[in-house]
Amino acid sequence: MIPEPSTPTSRPREQNENSAINSAGAVSHSGDESGNENRRKSARGKKRPQICSENTKQAQGKTSRGSPGRAGGSGGRRGQVEAVTLFEVVTMGRSAMQTVIGDWIETYVMDRDSALLDLISFFIQCSGCKGVVTAEMCQSNRAQDCCDILSTMVEEVDEDSGLQYKKFMAFPWILTVTWPMDMDCVEYPLIQSGPYGRWFHSEFGDFVSVLVSQCQHRVVFDGYLMNALVSLLTELSDSCVRAFRHTCTLAAVKILSALVAVALSLSAAMENAQKLHGVERRKTSGRQGSPRLDRIKKKIAELQEKRSEIESIMDTIFKGVFLKRYRDVLPEIRSMCTEELCSWMKLYSVAFLNDSYLKYIGWMMHDKIPEVRLKCVLGLQGLYGDPLLLTKLDLFTSRFKGRLISMTLDRDNEVAVQAMKLLILISKSCEEVLKEEDYQQLYQFVYSSQRPLATLAGELVYSRLLNVAAPGSKGQEDACEGAARGQDVHTERTMVRLRALLTFYMQSELHKHVVYLVDGLWDCAGELLKDWPTLSDILLQEPTPQSTGLTEAEQAVVVEVLVASVRQAAEGPSLVGRSGGKKVSSAKERKTQLDDCAKLTEHFLTTLPKLLSKFAGRWDAVASLMKIPQYFLPECPAVENTQVTSEELITEMGALVDHPSGPPGVLEAVSRAYLRLCGEDMAWHPTARSARDTLIQCWKDRLTSQLGDALKDDTFCANNDKTGEMLSTLRKLRAFYNGHDLSQWDLFELLSPLLSVGCLQGGVPSEVILEVLQCLFHAVLWNLHTSGKTLTSREKAVAQRQQLSAFCETSYRCLSHSDGSVKEQAFLGVCDVLTAHSYQLNVWEPTSCGPLLYTPGPRLQRALLAFILEQVFVGPDSNAHSRVGHASEVERLEDHHKRRTLLAAYCKLLVHGVLEMSMASVVFTHYTKYYNDFGDIIKETLYRTRQTDKIGSARTLLLCLQELYVRLKQEQQCRGGGQPGVQTFTSIKELARRFALTFGDPAKFRESVTMIHRSGIEFVFSGFVQSPDVACPPYLTYLTILSEFSSKLLKPDKKTLFCFLQRQTADHVVHLREDCWQPLIYYRASLLATAGEGEDVASYVSSDRRPHPPSRSPYEDRSEAESSPVSTEPPPRIAAKVMEELHVSGKETGDEIVEVEVDL
């Protein structure tokens, strides 16, 4: 045991070398001082704080009543203030710190031993220590005696008393700190959760800074305070206790930072004194001597001596604390040391900014913790931002430039962003450091998925490529030619920047994403990108003999840049795949966005028809340009004669969409543009709707004529030209049907005969069937969507149901089509239609004339399930998988995405209750085998079906496992009773384990899990009749699979199920020593095992299978059978406890208790 510290005694100063004292000083800290500091904040500003401690009381006893004591004031003033300790003042703000520290300095001048021990206790208390500090004076000043004492310094644990203690020297004191062993398990102030920890960190650093600042004039240089304080912090910062190490390291580096400020003030004073010395020497150049000059020289020497002493103390702290702790295992300590070192190098570059100290920053840039790397980069930003310090960073820059560039790829986004900021700063201040290949690597970050990083890279691209034009370049030549032609300077400058942007984009080998490039350049090059009139003029400019203009490839890129800038101005920086941007726009940003939309509407309403006319036939550019009308404002008062202007645009759009060779992308883009222009809020929607209706009626009439020629006597007899014309018309109708309601043209009745002929008679090309299927699909969906307004009578509801039934019947026939794309479209169409019908039934008001229920027949359900098994769950040797076995990676990913889409469509039918829940069992059987491909979809389906019906979902899981198990048994029987498929059985058991993990809270799913066990036991024992040839149930091994769900049972349910299992086996003679009955042992052990027993299933089973003689058949001698029908042999301790619990459970539940014989 560590002895209790004795009562402190006071002594005269001259007795220090002859007697040992226990500090005023054995200071005991209460258990709640470090956790309730916020409660003492109310004292701030009310009364002047005054420190008070046991040491203070003794110091007051030694002084007269009127002398300044520990609190620094007269007795009268002391009676009017509130007494606080040094630890309490940390929570009271900077002004209170200055007052109390001033009082402490006065006390220190009168009795430095007592005051120093109070300060030592303060640091111990700030570490969260609730123990005792005992101090004794070193009785010898000889170096050899001090070395002997240091060799006995220890940090040990006294397990008998439950205490730890550390004994060390803080000259001239020998300190012993005693604290409980569980201190490492308690939060100390610096790491307390919430804002208090961060606030205490700041206030503690301020306290140390104020202490050094107010002691810098006399106390710091007395050779006593700083020596003792540095010794204390050096020893405690090297402690194995995290609280001491963290707190005292922070105190030490903060003291060094405060000493840096003192050294700077001394350097400034020396500089002033030297200037004064030079002036005085010039005044007294002809005299023999000057007392004033001598005093100035003496002051300079004194300041130099003080600065040398300060630098010596700083060097001691750096070597004693920093060099040991900058590699500490605690990331907070490493980060703290790195941050303070950067501040030392910036503030006191004369002493710290050299390669001997910079190397630590370079090493810490490789730290595995992002916070440490971030502190390094932020510190270097401060150094490179000062032009006066750049000359001292040359070697560091050349040595660690590669690491700085690689940090832009850091996994932590903030580190990567700050590293990019640092490199931009280096590029501006040290132009020759980064080479062209370095810049090329940094430019590519404009395509980064993190918007802050992309924006910084865009700033670099803009400053080095777009904001300047290289002399003699092609852009400059074109600019000169433009000036000769009388073009204005703005157009010339825009052309130069645009060519530089095109060169950068087209030379990029990694990325071809214009929208990401525009988003990265938006903040710095927004003026260029939003200059839509100039960009449009450049696109509309015709080549002349004097200027070749832009090539077709360059024009295509400019069109994409133009469209991307329009999207950016209208929607803001919200790109798919790019994160880190602002989620909420400010009022100023929203106003700017609205103004930009007004400008683009005004400009493109008149310019877009000209652009469409010029790029007619270049479908990629047309498809991009047709995205612009989606961002128009409903009204544009700035445009004169809006009706005529909109008619020009709509006429040009009609000519594009009616073109016979228009690709699907252009048709979709024009359809979306019409959808926007036909909106109720648009000023020109009457004109747009009239033009759209005229187009649809024209296409319908054309299609009617084509179908009349092609369908004769229920056969398809169109030639290739007629088929191509029909296909073109169908594609246009399908593109518009996707976004527009075309129900008034009755296309479903028009196209149904063509699809019936194609499915029954054949001869219809697959492309035509595919387009017709999509048109019918959209017709049914629009009918369901608008049924709230159109279903006004039962006759209309019957007609809607007949249409839905006809579509499902037609899709069923298409599922057997030879073309894979037709089958996929039929499958997706019927799944989406049935899902929409289910949603319609859920939201319909029962009081109104609602739709009639349609349920898919068994034949259609089987066909859908067969399609999923054929197209989605394909093995490595199947035909569907072999199609992409040797394909490229892109094709493989596309096939994988297609299979996921098909499975998701089928699972939606299960979730919405369109299909019976039992149909999900086939999907669930593939959960483990295809976990990497479809695990998320199957798991979500399981959760959704469970929310609908817990018991039904559990029965589906049970059915899934039983089907797999029965199939395994049948395969074993077909192999003639050979070795069982261990891997297959293991996979079923793993599937059961995965299913069990989906049950979260056992209390929430209590009924479901219990039902799984009861049904599983009945599955094993139902219908089993024991005979000499069949000693155990054929499905007994299923109990091993069932045991995976035992961990989700509550304790009372385990008891009940154990009784139920005993009743099922009551009529059978069970010999548990036989191998065939081992699954029963395993399952019974899973029910008997409880959390409090510390027994698991495996250990329980092994205890049952101890060595024993070979057992005989139970039918050889029934007279020798056990008295109970069931003979079990569990370990005595567990069996006795379980029987006791089962008797209690039987009384509570009324279940029959089957006695279990225990072989002791």
Side-chain angles (χ1 to χ4, degrees), residues 605 636 639-651 682-688 690:
L605 198 59
C636 186
V639 178
E640 297 180 358
N641 201 355
T642 307
Q643 193 70 19
V644 177
T645 307
S646 61
E647 286 180 359
E648 295 177 359
L649 175 60
I650 293 171
T651 302
M682 303 298 287
W684 42 82
H685 76 274
T687 305
S690 176

Side-chain angles (χ1 to χ4, degrees), residues 78 93 175 271 273 328 373 411 422 454 458 569 577 732 743 762 776 794 808 856 960 973 979 1071 1109 1129 1143:
R78 187 176 297 115
L175 301 177
E271 184 178 355
D328 196 276
R373 302 194 298 271
R411 68 177 63 182
L422 175 60
K732 295 171 184 178
S743 301
L776 297 183
R794 180 173 178 81
C808 292
C960 169
Q973 293 175 1
Q979 293 295 329
H1071 278 277
E1129 301 169 353
H1143 278 292

Side-chain angles (χ1 to χ4, degrees), residues 251-323:
V253 296
K254 288 298 182 181
I255 286 177
L256 201 155
S257 299
L259 292 175
V260 165
V262 175
L264 288 174
S265 64
L266 292 174
S267 298
M270 284 180 57
E271 184 178 355
N272 294 333
Q274 288 172 352
K275 291 180 181 179
L276 185 61
H277 177 269
V279 173
E280 189 67 25
R281 187 175 57 183
R282 287 192 295 271
K283 290 181 179 180
T284 60
S285 56
R287 302 177 187 177
Q288 293 292 335
S290 173
R292 179 176 175 79
L293 189 62
D294 294 338
R295 288 194 301 270
I296 294 176
K297 289 182 179 179
K298 184 178 179 180
K299 182 179 180 181
I300 293 176
E302 181 183 352
L303 291 174
Q304 288 178 341
E305 181 181 357
K306 287 185 176 181
R307 189 176 68 174
S308 299
E309 185 176 351
I310 292 295
E311 290 179 348
S312 175
I313 297 174
M314 290 192 298
D315 186 65
T316 302
I317 296 176
F318 185 86
K319 293 179 179 179
V321 178
F322 180 88
L323 290 184

